[in-house]
Amino acid sequence: MAKIKSPNPNYNGNSASLLFVNGEAETDNKWLLEWFKNKGYTVEESNETKKKNSGVTKAKKPEGKKVE
């Protein structure tokens, strides 16, 4: 996740679909990161890779009587 810092450190509001609080917002959207860089915002990209959860859960075998 990259952190975007507004030129105004006190800015609170929406810009390009991101919510800024105290001049900061976060996103992984590469297009938005480039857009903000081109507009004079500071972009701090993290080297951490965040583990993504696919939302898929594996089904467990039912317990109880065996079916033969």
Short mmCIF file of all heavy atoms in Angstrom, two decimals:
data_model
loop_
_atom_site.label_atom_id
_atom_site.label_comp_id
_atom_site.label_asym_id
_atom_site.label_seq_id
_atom_site.Cartn_x
_atom_site.Cartn_y
_atom_site.Cartn_z
N MET A 1 0.85 -1.17 0.00
CA MET A 1 0.00 0.00 0.00
C MET A 1 0.90 1.23 0.00
O MET A 1 1.83 1.31 0.78
CB MET A 1 -0.89 -0.04 1.24
CG MET A 1 -1.92 1.03 1.33
SD MET A 1 -3.36 0.88 0.30
CE MET A 1 -4.13 -0.59 0.89
N ALA A 2 0.62 2.17 -0.88
CA ALA A 2 1.40 3.40 -0.96
C ALA A 2 0.66 4.52 -0.25
O ALA A 2 -0.57 4.59 -0.27
CB ALA A 2 1.63 3.77 -2.41
N LYS A 3 1.43 5.40 0.37
CA LYS A 3 0.86 6.56 1.07
C LYS A 3 1.04 7.77 0.18
O LYS A 3 2.11 8.00 -0.38
CB LYS A 3 1.58 6.78 2.40
CG LYS A 3 0.97 7.89 3.23
CD LYS A 3 1.74 8.10 4.52
CE LYS A 3 1.52 6.93 5.44
NZ LYS A 3 2.13 7.13 6.76
N ILE A 4 -0.02 8.55 0.04
CA ILE A 4 0.01 9.78 -0.75
C ILE A 4 -0.13 10.95 0.21
O ILE A 4 -1.03 10.96 1.05
CB ILE A 4 -1.14 9.80 -1.78
CG1 ILE A 4 -1.03 8.59 -2.69
CG2 ILE A 4 -1.12 11.09 -2.58
CD1 ILE A 4 -2.25 8.36 -3.54
N LYS A 5 0.78 11.92 0.08
CA LYS A 5 0.74 13.10 0.95
C LYS A 5 0.39 14.32 0.11
O LYS A 5 1.03 14.60 -0.90
CB LYS A 5 2.08 13.29 1.64
CG LYS A 5 2.37 12.19 2.64
CD LYS A 5 3.62 12.49 3.43
CE LYS A 5 3.84 11.43 4.50
NZ LYS A 5 4.96 11.76 5.36
N SER A 6 -0.61 15.03 0.56
CA SER A 6 -1.08 16.23 -0.10
C SER A 6 -0.10 17.38 0.12
O SER A 6 0.56 17.44 1.17
CB SER A 6 -2.45 16.60 0.49
OG SER A 6 -2.81 17.89 0.09
N PRO A 7 0.00 18.31 -0.84
CA PRO A 7 0.81 19.51 -0.60
C PRO A 7 0.31 20.30 0.61
O PRO A 7 1.08 21.00 1.24
CB PRO A 7 0.65 20.31 -1.89
CG PRO A 7 0.26 19.31 -2.93
CD PRO A 7 -0.53 18.26 -2.19
N ASN A 8 -0.98 20.17 0.92
CA ASN A 8 -1.56 20.81 2.10
C ASN A 8 -1.69 19.76 3.20
O ASN A 8 -2.57 18.91 3.14
CB ASN A 8 -2.93 21.40 1.76
CG ASN A 8 -3.64 21.98 2.97
OD1 ASN A 8 -3.14 21.95 4.09
ND2 ASN A 8 -4.83 22.50 2.75
N PRO A 9 -0.83 19.79 4.23
CA PRO A 9 -0.86 18.76 5.27
C PRO A 9 -2.13 18.76 6.12
O PRO A 9 -2.39 17.81 6.85
CB PRO A 9 0.36 19.07 6.13
CG PRO A 9 0.67 20.49 5.86
CD PRO A 9 0.20 20.78 4.47
N ASN A 10 -2.96 19.78 5.99
CA ASN A 10 -4.20 19.86 6.76
C ASN A 10 -5.43 19.49 5.95
O ASN A 10 -6.55 19.61 6.43
CB ASN A 10 -4.38 21.28 7.32
CG ASN A 10 -3.26 21.65 8.25
OD1 ASN A 10 -2.85 20.85 9.10
ND2 ASN A 10 -2.73 22.84 8.10
N TYR A 11 -5.22 19.02 4.70
CA TYR A 11 -6.35 18.73 3.82
C TYR A 11 -7.14 17.52 4.28
O TYR A 11 -6.58 16.46 4.55
CB TYR A 11 -5.86 18.51 2.38
CG TYR A 11 -6.97 18.14 1.43
CD1 TYR A 11 -7.99 19.02 1.14
CD2 TYR A 11 -7.00 16.88 0.84
CE1 TYR A 11 -9.02 18.68 0.28
CE2 TYR A 11 -8.02 16.53 -0.03
CZ TYR A 11 -9.02 17.43 -0.29
OH TYR A 11 -10.05 17.09 -1.14
N ASN A 12 -8.45 17.68 4.38
CA ASN A 12 -9.39 16.59 4.68
C ASN A 12 -10.47 16.63 3.60
O ASN A 12 -11.18 17.63 3.47
CB ASN A 12 -10.04 16.77 6.05
CG ASN A 12 -9.05 16.63 7.18
OD1 ASN A 12 -8.31 15.66 7.24
ND2 ASN A 12 -9.01 17.61 8.05
N GLY A 13 -10.58 15.57 2.82
CA GLY A 13 -11.59 15.53 1.78
C GLY A 13 -11.27 14.48 0.73
O GLY A 13 -10.31 13.73 0.85
N ASN A 14 -12.11 14.44 -0.32
CA ASN A 14 -11.95 13.47 -1.40
C ASN A 14 -11.23 14.10 -2.58
O ASN A 14 -11.57 15.22 -2.98
CB ASN A 14 -13.31 12.96 -1.88
CG ASN A 14 -13.92 12.02 -0.88
OD1 ASN A 14 -13.29 11.07 -0.47
ND2 ASN A 14 -15.16 12.29 -0.49
N SER A 15 -10.26 13.39 -3.11
CA SER A 15 -9.59 13.79 -4.34
C SER A 15 -9.36 12.54 -5.17
O SER A 15 -8.76 11.57 -4.69
CB SER A 15 -8.23 14.44 -4.05
OG SER A 15 -8.41 15.70 -3.44
N ALA A 16 -9.82 12.57 -6.41
CA ALA A 16 -9.64 11.45 -7.35
C ALA A 16 -10.04 10.13 -6.72
O ALA A 16 -9.34 9.14 -6.83
CB ALA A 16 -8.21 11.41 -7.86
N SER A 17 -11.15 10.11 -6.03
CA SER A 17 -11.76 8.93 -5.41
C SER A 17 -11.09 8.48 -4.11
O SER A 17 -11.48 7.47 -3.54
CB SER A 17 -11.86 7.75 -6.38
OG SER A 17 -10.60 7.12 -6.54
N LEU A 18 -10.08 9.19 -3.63
CA LEU A 18 -9.42 8.82 -2.37
C LEU A 18 -9.80 9.79 -1.27
O LEU A 18 -9.91 11.00 -1.49
CB LEU A 18 -7.90 8.83 -2.53
CG LEU A 18 -7.31 7.83 -3.50
CD1 LEU A 18 -5.78 7.95 -3.50
CD2 LEU A 18 -7.72 6.42 -3.18
N LEU A 19 -9.97 9.26 -0.06
CA LEU A 19 -10.29 10.09 1.09
C LEU A 19 -8.99 10.48 1.78
O LEU A 19 -8.24 9.62 2.24
CB LEU A 19 -11.19 9.32 2.07
CG LEU A 19 -11.54 10.05 3.36
CD1 LEU A 19 -12.32 11.33 3.04
CD2 LEU A 19 -12.35 9.15 4.27
N PHE A 20 -8.74 11.77 1.85
CA PHE A 20 -7.56 12.29 2.54
C PHE A 20 -7.95 12.73 3.94
O PHE A 20 -8.95 13.41 4.13
CB PHE A 20 -6.98 13.50 1.77
CG PHE A 20 -6.17 13.11 0.59
CD1 PHE A 20 -6.78 12.73 -0.60
CD2 PHE A 20 -4.79 13.11 0.65
CE1 PHE A 20 -6.03 12.37 -1.70
CE2 PHE A 20 -4.02 12.75 -0.45
CZ PHE A 20 -4.64 12.37 -1.63
N VAL A 21 -7.14 12.33 4.91
CA VAL A 21 -7.32 12.73 6.30
C VAL A 21 -5.98 13.30 6.76
O VAL A 21 -4.95 12.63 6.67
CB VAL A 21 -7.74 11.54 7.19
CG1 VAL A 21 -7.84 11.96 8.65
CG2 VAL A 21 -9.04 10.94 6.70
N ASN A 22 -6.01 14.55 7.22
CA ASN A 22 -4.79 15.25 7.63
C ASN A 22 -3.73 15.21 6.54
O ASN A 22 -2.54 14.99 6.79
CB ASN A 22 -4.24 14.69 8.94
CG ASN A 22 -5.20 14.89 10.09
OD1 ASN A 22 -5.89 15.91 10.16
ND2 ASN A 22 -5.26 13.93 10.99
N GLY A 23 -4.15 15.36 5.29
CA GLY A 23 -3.24 15.44 4.16
C GLY A 23 -2.70 14.12 3.65
O GLY A 23 -1.81 14.11 2.82
N GLU A 24 -3.24 12.99 4.13
CA GLU A 24 -2.73 11.68 3.71
C GLU A 24 -3.84 10.74 3.28
O GLU A 24 -4.93 10.75 3.84
CB GLU A 24 -1.93 11.01 4.84
CG GLU A 24 -0.68 11.77 5.21
CD GLU A 24 0.15 11.06 6.26
OE1 GLU A 24 -0.24 9.97 6.73
OE2 GLU A 24 1.21 11.60 6.62
N ALA A 25 -3.51 9.91 2.26
CA ALA A 25 -4.42 8.86 1.78
C ALA A 25 -3.56 7.67 1.37
O ALA A 25 -2.34 7.79 1.25
CB ALA A 25 -5.25 9.36 0.61
N GLU A 26 -4.20 6.51 1.17
CA GLU A 26 -3.49 5.30 0.76
C GLU A 26 -4.21 4.62 -0.39
O GLU A 26 -5.44 4.63 -0.45
CB GLU A 26 -3.37 4.31 1.92
CG GLU A 26 -2.48 4.79 3.04
CD GLU A 26 -2.31 3.75 4.13
OE1 GLU A 26 -3.18 2.86 4.25
OE2 GLU A 26 -1.32 3.83 4.86
N THR A 27 -3.41 4.01 -1.28
CA THR A 27 -3.97 3.23 -2.38
C THR A 27 -2.90 2.31 -2.96
O THR A 27 -1.71 2.55 -2.78
CB THR A 27 -4.55 4.12 -3.50
OG1 THR A 27 -5.21 3.30 -4.46
CG2 THR A 27 -3.47 4.92 -4.19
N ASP A 28 -3.36 1.28 -3.67
CA ASP A 28 -2.48 0.39 -4.43
C ASP A 28 -2.67 0.63 -5.93
O ASP A 28 -2.00 0.00 -6.74
CB ASP A 28 -2.80 -1.09 -4.13
CG ASP A 28 -2.19 -1.53 -2.81
OD1 ASP A 28 -1.16 -0.98 -2.41
OD2 ASP A 28 -2.76 -2.44 -2.19
N ASN A 29 -3.57 1.52 -6.29
CA ASN A 29 -3.89 1.76 -7.68
C ASN A 29 -2.73 2.50 -8.36
O ASN A 29 -2.46 3.66 -8.08
CB ASN A 29 -5.18 2.58 -7.76
CG ASN A 29 -5.64 2.79 -9.17
OD1 ASN A 29 -4.89 3.25 -10.03
ND2 ASN A 29 -6.91 2.49 -9.42
N LYS A 30 -2.04 1.79 -9.27
CA LYS A 30 -0.85 2.35 -9.95
C LYS A 30 -1.19 3.61 -10.76
O LYS A 30 -0.41 4.55 -10.80
CB LYS A 30 -0.21 1.30 -10.87
CG LYS A 30 0.27 0.06 -10.15
CD LYS A 30 1.46 0.38 -9.29
CE LYS A 30 1.96 -0.90 -8.64
NZ LYS A 30 2.90 -0.65 -7.59
N TRP A 31 -2.35 3.61 -11.41
CA TRP A 31 -2.74 4.76 -12.21
C TRP A 31 -2.90 5.99 -11.32
O TRP A 31 -2.42 7.08 -11.66
CB TRP A 31 -4.03 4.46 -12.96
CG TRP A 31 -4.36 5.51 -13.98
CD1 TRP A 31 -3.98 5.52 -15.28
CD2 TRP A 31 -5.12 6.70 -13.76
NE1 TRP A 31 -4.45 6.66 -15.89
CE2 TRP A 31 -5.15 7.40 -14.98
CE3 TRP A 31 -5.77 7.25 -12.66
CZ2 TRP A 31 -5.81 8.62 -15.14
CZ3 TRP A 31 -6.42 8.48 -12.82
CH2 TRP A 31 -6.44 9.14 -14.04
N LEU A 32 -3.59 5.83 -10.18
CA LEU A 32 -3.78 6.96 -9.27
C LEU A 32 -2.45 7.44 -8.69
O LEU A 32 -2.23 8.64 -8.53
CB LEU A 32 -4.73 6.57 -8.13
CG LEU A 32 -6.21 6.54 -8.47
CD1 LEU A 32 -7.01 6.04 -7.28
CD2 LEU A 32 -6.71 7.90 -8.91
N LEU A 33 -1.54 6.51 -8.39
CA LEU A 33 -0.24 6.90 -7.86
C LEU A 33 0.49 7.80 -8.85
O LEU A 33 1.04 8.85 -8.47
CB LEU A 33 0.60 5.67 -7.53
CG LEU A 33 0.06 4.79 -6.40
CD1 LEU A 33 0.91 3.53 -6.26
CD2 LEU A 33 0.02 5.55 -5.09
N GLU A 34 0.48 7.44 -10.11
CA GLU A 34 1.12 8.27 -11.14
C GLU A 34 0.42 9.61 -11.29
O GLU A 34 1.05 10.64 -11.46
CB GLU A 34 1.16 7.52 -12.48
CG GLU A 34 2.18 6.41 -12.52
CD GLU A 34 3.60 6.87 -12.23
OE1 GLU A 34 4.03 7.91 -12.79
OE2 GLU A 34 4.28 6.21 -11.44
N TRP A 35 -0.90 9.59 -11.24
CA TRP A 35 -1.68 10.82 -11.38
C TRP A 35 -1.33 11.80 -10.27
O TRP A 35 -1.08 12.98 -10.52
CB TRP A 35 -3.18 10.48 -11.34
CG TRP A 35 -4.06 11.65 -11.66
CD1 TRP A 35 -4.45 12.06 -12.90
CD2 TRP A 35 -4.65 12.55 -10.72
NE1 TRP A 35 -5.25 13.16 -12.78
CE2 TRP A 35 -5.39 13.49 -11.46
CE3 TRP A 35 -4.62 12.66 -9.33
CZ2 TRP A 35 -6.10 14.53 -10.86
CZ3 TRP A 35 -5.33 13.69 -8.73
CH2 TRP A 35 -6.06 14.61 -9.48
N PHE A 36 -1.29 11.31 -9.04
CA PHE A 36 -0.96 12.18 -7.91
C PHE A 36 0.48 12.69 -7.99
O PHE A 36 0.76 13.85 -7.70
CB PHE A 36 -1.21 11.48 -6.57
CG PHE A 36 -2.65 11.51 -6.15
CD1 PHE A 36 -3.44 10.37 -6.24
CD2 PHE A 36 -3.24 12.66 -5.68
CE1 PHE A 36 -4.78 10.39 -5.88
CE2 PHE A 36 -4.57 12.71 -5.31
CZ PHE A 36 -5.34 11.57 -5.40
N LYS A 37 1.43 11.85 -8.43
CA LYS A 37 2.82 12.29 -8.60
C LYS A 37 2.88 13.45 -9.59
O LYS A 37 3.56 14.45 -9.36
CB LYS A 37 3.68 11.14 -9.13
CG LYS A 37 4.07 10.12 -8.10
CD LYS A 37 4.93 9.04 -8.75
CE LYS A 37 5.14 7.85 -7.85
NZ LYS A 37 5.92 6.79 -8.50
N ASN A 38 2.14 13.31 -10.70
CA ASN A 38 2.12 14.35 -11.73
C ASN A 38 1.47 15.65 -11.26
O ASN A 38 1.69 16.70 -11.85
CB ASN A 38 1.44 13.85 -13.00
CG ASN A 38 2.25 12.79 -13.70
OD1 ASN A 38 3.47 12.77 -13.61
ND2 ASN A 38 1.57 11.90 -14.40
N LYS A 39 0.65 15.56 -10.21
CA LYS A 39 -0.03 16.75 -9.68
C LYS A 39 0.74 17.39 -8.53
O LYS A 39 0.26 18.33 -7.91
CB LYS A 39 -1.45 16.38 -9.21
CG LYS A 39 -2.36 15.87 -10.30
CD LYS A 39 -2.65 16.96 -11.30
CE LYS A 39 -3.60 16.45 -12.38
NZ LYS A 39 -3.85 17.43 -13.41
N GLY A 40 1.92 16.85 -8.19
CA GLY A 40 2.75 17.46 -7.16
C GLY A 40 2.59 16.87 -5.77
O GLY A 40 3.13 17.41 -4.80
N TYR A 41 1.88 15.77 -5.65
CA TYR A 41 1.74 15.10 -4.36
C TYR A 41 2.97 14.23 -4.12
O TYR A 41 3.62 13.78 -5.05
CB TYR A 41 0.50 14.20 -4.34
CG TYR A 41 -0.82 14.94 -4.31
CD1 TYR A 41 -1.26 15.67 -5.42
CD2 TYR A 41 -1.64 14.91 -3.20
CE1 TYR A 41 -2.47 16.33 -5.41
CE2 TYR A 41 -2.86 15.56 -3.17
CZ TYR A 41 -3.26 16.28 -4.29
OH TYR A 41 -4.46 16.93 -4.26
N THR A 42 3.28 13.96 -2.86
CA THR A 42 4.36 13.05 -2.51
C THR A 42 3.78 11.65 -2.40
O THR A 42 2.76 11.45 -1.73
CB THR A 42 5.00 13.45 -1.16
OG1 THR A 42 5.47 14.79 -1.27
CG2 THR A 42 6.15 12.54 -0.80
N VAL A 43 4.43 10.68 -3.05
CA VAL A 43 3.97 9.29 -3.00
C VAL A 43 5.07 8.46 -2.37
O VAL A 43 6.20 8.43 -2.86
CB VAL A 43 3.63 8.76 -4.41
CG1 VAL A 43 3.28 7.28 -4.36
CG2 VAL A 43 2.49 9.57 -5.02
N GLU A 44 4.75 7.82 -1.26
CA GLU A 44 5.68 6.93 -0.56
C GLU A 44 5.22 5.50 -0.76
O GLU A 44 4.24 5.08 -0.17
CB GLU A 44 5.73 7.27 0.93
CG GLU A 44 6.25 8.66 1.22
CD GLU A 44 6.18 9.01 2.70
OE1 GLU A 44 5.63 8.21 3.50
OE2 GLU A 44 6.66 10.09 3.05
N GLU A 45 5.95 4.78 -1.60
CA GLU A 45 5.57 3.39 -1.88
C GLU A 45 6.24 2.46 -0.89
O GLU A 45 7.42 2.58 -0.61
CB GLU A 45 5.94 3.02 -3.31
CG GLU A 45 5.17 3.86 -4.31
CD GLU A 45 5.27 3.35 -5.71
OE1 GLU A 45 5.05 2.16 -5.93
OE2 GLU A 45 5.56 4.18 -6.59
N SER A 46 5.47 1.54 -0.35
CA SER A 46 5.96 0.58 0.63
C SER A 46 6.56 -0.62 -0.08
O SER A 46 6.06 -1.05 -1.11
CB SER A 46 4.80 0.12 1.53
OG SER A 46 5.22 -0.92 2.36
N ASN A 47 7.63 -1.17 0.48
CA ASN A 47 8.24 -2.38 -0.08
C ASN A 47 7.55 -3.63 0.42
O ASN A 47 7.82 -4.72 -0.06
CB ASN A 47 9.73 -2.44 0.27
CG ASN A 47 10.50 -1.38 -0.47
OD1 ASN A 47 10.09 -0.90 -1.51
ND2 ASN A 47 11.63 -0.97 0.08
N GLU A 48 6.68 -3.48 1.40
CA GLU A 48 5.94 -4.62 1.95
C GLU A 48 4.93 -5.12 0.94
O GLU A 48 4.27 -4.33 0.28
CB GLU A 48 5.17 -4.23 3.21
CG GLU A 48 6.02 -4.03 4.41
CD GLU A 48 5.16 -3.70 5.63
OE1 GLU A 48 3.98 -4.07 5.66
OE2 GLU A 48 5.69 -3.07 6.53
N THR A 49 4.81 -6.42 0.83
CA THR A 49 3.75 -6.98 0.01
C THR A 49 2.67 -7.46 0.95
O THR A 49 2.91 -8.23 1.86
CB THR A 49 4.26 -8.15 -0.86
OG1 THR A 49 4.88 -9.11 -0.02
CG2 THR A 49 5.24 -7.66 -1.90
N LYS A 50 1.49 -6.94 0.74
CA LYS A 50 0.37 -7.29 1.61
C LYS A 50 -0.24 -8.59 1.11
O LYS A 50 -0.49 -8.76 -0.07
CB LYS A 50 -0.66 -6.17 1.57
CG LYS A 50 -1.69 -6.27 2.64
CD LYS A 50 -2.54 -5.02 2.66
CE LYS A 50 -3.51 -5.08 3.81
NZ LYS A 50 -4.34 -3.89 3.88
N LYS A 51 -0.48 -9.53 2.03
CA LYS A 51 -1.07 -10.81 1.67
C LYS A 51 -2.55 -10.58 1.35
O LYS A 51 -3.28 -10.03 2.14
CB LYS A 51 -0.93 -11.76 2.85
CG LYS A 51 -1.18 -13.19 2.51
CD LYS A 51 -0.86 -14.09 3.69
CE LYS A 51 -0.93 -15.53 3.32
NZ LYS A 51 -0.59 -16.39 4.43
N LYS A 52 -2.92 -10.98 0.16
CA LYS A 52 -4.31 -10.79 -0.28
C LYS A 52 -5.13 -12.01 0.06
O LYS A 52 -4.71 -13.14 -0.13
CB LYS A 52 -4.37 -10.52 -1.77
CG LYS A 52 -3.79 -9.19 -2.14
CD LYS A 52 -4.03 -8.89 -3.59
CE LYS A 52 -3.48 -7.52 -3.94
NZ LYS A 52 -3.73 -7.18 -5.32
N ASN A 53 -6.34 -11.79 0.53
CA ASN A 53 -7.28 -12.85 0.84
C ASN A 53 -8.27 -12.93 -0.32
O ASN A 53 -8.94 -11.97 -0.64
CB ASN A 53 -8.01 -12.53 2.15
CG ASN A 53 -8.96 -13.63 2.55
OD1 ASN A 53 -9.14 -14.60 1.83
ND2 ASN A 53 -9.58 -13.48 3.69
N SER A 54 -8.33 -14.08 -0.96
CA SER A 54 -9.21 -14.23 -2.11
C SER A 54 -10.67 -14.30 -1.72
O SER A 54 -11.54 -14.18 -2.56
CB SER A 54 -8.83 -15.51 -2.88
OG SER A 54 -9.11 -16.65 -2.09
N GLY A 55 -10.94 -14.51 -0.44
CA GLY A 55 -12.32 -14.62 0.01
C GLY A 55 -12.90 -16.00 -0.18
O GLY A 55 -14.05 -16.25 0.11
N VAL A 56 -12.10 -16.92 -0.69
CA VAL A 56 -12.56 -18.29 -0.93
C VAL A 56 -12.17 -19.15 0.26
O VAL A 56 -11.04 -19.12 0.71
CB VAL A 56 -11.93 -18.86 -2.22
CG1 VAL A 56 -12.34 -20.30 -2.42
CG2 VAL A 56 -12.29 -18.01 -3.40
N THR A 57 -13.13 -19.87 0.77
CA THR A 57 -12.89 -20.77 1.90
C THR A 57 -13.05 -22.20 1.43
O THR A 57 -14.00 -22.51 0.71
CB THR A 57 -13.91 -20.50 3.03
OG1 THR A 57 -14.07 -19.11 3.19
CG2 THR A 57 -13.45 -21.09 4.33
N LYS A 58 -12.14 -23.05 1.83
CA LYS A 58 -12.23 -24.46 1.45
C LYS A 58 -13.28 -25.15 2.31
O LYS A 58 -13.35 -24.94 3.51
CB LYS A 58 -10.89 -25.15 1.61
CG LYS A 58 -9.85 -24.66 0.64
CD LYS A 58 -8.57 -25.43 0.77
CE LYS A 58 -7.54 -24.95 -0.23
NZ LYS A 58 -6.29 -25.67 -0.12
N ALA A 59 -14.08 -25.99 1.67
CA ALA A 59 -15.11 -26.72 2.39
C ALA A 59 -14.49 -27.87 3.17
O ALA A 59 -13.56 -28.53 2.70
CB ALA A 59 -16.14 -27.27 1.41
N LYS A 60 -15.00 -28.08 4.36
CA LYS A 60 -14.52 -29.19 5.19
C LYS A 60 -15.41 -30.40 4.94
O LYS A 60 -16.59 -30.26 4.62
CB LYS A 60 -14.58 -28.82 6.66
CG LYS A 60 -13.62 -27.72 7.03
CD LYS A 60 -13.71 -27.43 8.52
CE LYS A 60 -12.76 -26.32 8.90
NZ LYS A 60 -12.85 -26.01 10.31
N LYS A 61 -14.82 -31.59 5.10
CA LYS A 61 -15.60 -32.82 4.96
C LYS A 61 -16.54 -32.93 6.15
O LYS A 61 -16.17 -32.64 7.29
CB LYS A 61 -14.68 -34.03 4.93
CG LYS A 61 -13.82 -34.09 3.68
CD LYS A 61 -12.97 -35.34 3.68
CE LYS A 61 -12.10 -35.38 2.44
NZ LYS A 61 -11.24 -36.55 2.42
N PRO A 62 -17.78 -33.33 5.89
CA PRO A 62 -18.73 -33.46 7.00
C PRO A 62 -18.30 -34.62 7.94
O PRO A 62 -17.79 -35.62 7.50
CB PRO A 62 -20.06 -33.77 6.31
CG PRO A 62 -19.69 -34.23 4.94
CD PRO A 62 -18.36 -33.64 4.63
N GLU A 63 -18.51 -34.35 9.21
CA GLU A 63 -18.17 -35.39 10.19
C GLU A 63 -19.44 -36.18 10.52
O GLU A 63 -20.55 -35.71 10.36
CB GLU A 63 -17.63 -34.73 11.46
CG GLU A 63 -16.31 -34.04 11.22
CD GLU A 63 -15.77 -33.38 12.48
OE1 GLU A 63 -16.21 -33.72 13.58
OE2 GLU A 63 -14.89 -32.53 12.34
N GLY A 64 -19.23 -37.36 11.01
CA GLY A 64 -20.39 -38.16 11.38
C GLY A 64 -20.38 -39.50 10.66
O GLY A 64 -19.34 -40.12 10.51
N LYS A 65 -21.55 -39.94 10.20
CA LYS A 65 -21.68 -41.23 9.54
C LYS A 65 -20.94 -41.27 8.22
O LYS A 65 -20.96 -40.30 7.46
CB LYS A 65 -23.16 -41.56 9.28
CG LYS A 65 -23.95 -41.72 10.54
CD LYS A 65 -25.37 -42.07 10.19
CE LYS A 65 -26.20 -42.23 11.44
NZ LYS A 65 -27.59 -42.55 11.13
N LYS A 66 -20.30 -42.41 7.98
CA LYS A 66 -19.63 -42.60 6.70
C LYS A 66 -20.64 -43.10 5.68
O LYS A 66 -21.50 -43.90 5.98
CB LYS A 66 -18.51 -43.64 6.84
CG LYS A 66 -17.35 -43.14 7.63
CD LYS A 66 -16.25 -44.19 7.60
CE LYS A 66 -15.03 -43.72 8.38
NZ LYS A 66 -13.96 -44.71 8.35
N VAL A 67 -20.51 -42.60 4.48
CA VAL A 67 -21.37 -43.04 3.40
C VAL A 67 -20.59 -44.06 2.59
O VAL A 67 -19.49 -43.79 2.14
CB VAL A 67 -21.80 -41.86 2.50
CG1 VAL A 67 -22.67 -42.34 1.36
CG2 VAL A 67 -22.49 -40.80 3.33
N GLU A 68 -21.15 -45.27 2.43
CA GLU A 68 -20.44 -46.33 1.69
C GLU A 68 -21.22 -46.74 0.48
O GLU A 68 -22.35 -46.62 0.33
CB GLU A 68 -20.21 -47.51 2.61
CG GLU A 68 -19.27 -47.14 3.72
CD GLU A 68 -18.94 -48.34 4.60
OE1 GLU A 68 -18.96 -49.49 4.13
OE2 GLU A 68 -18.66 -48.11 5.77
#
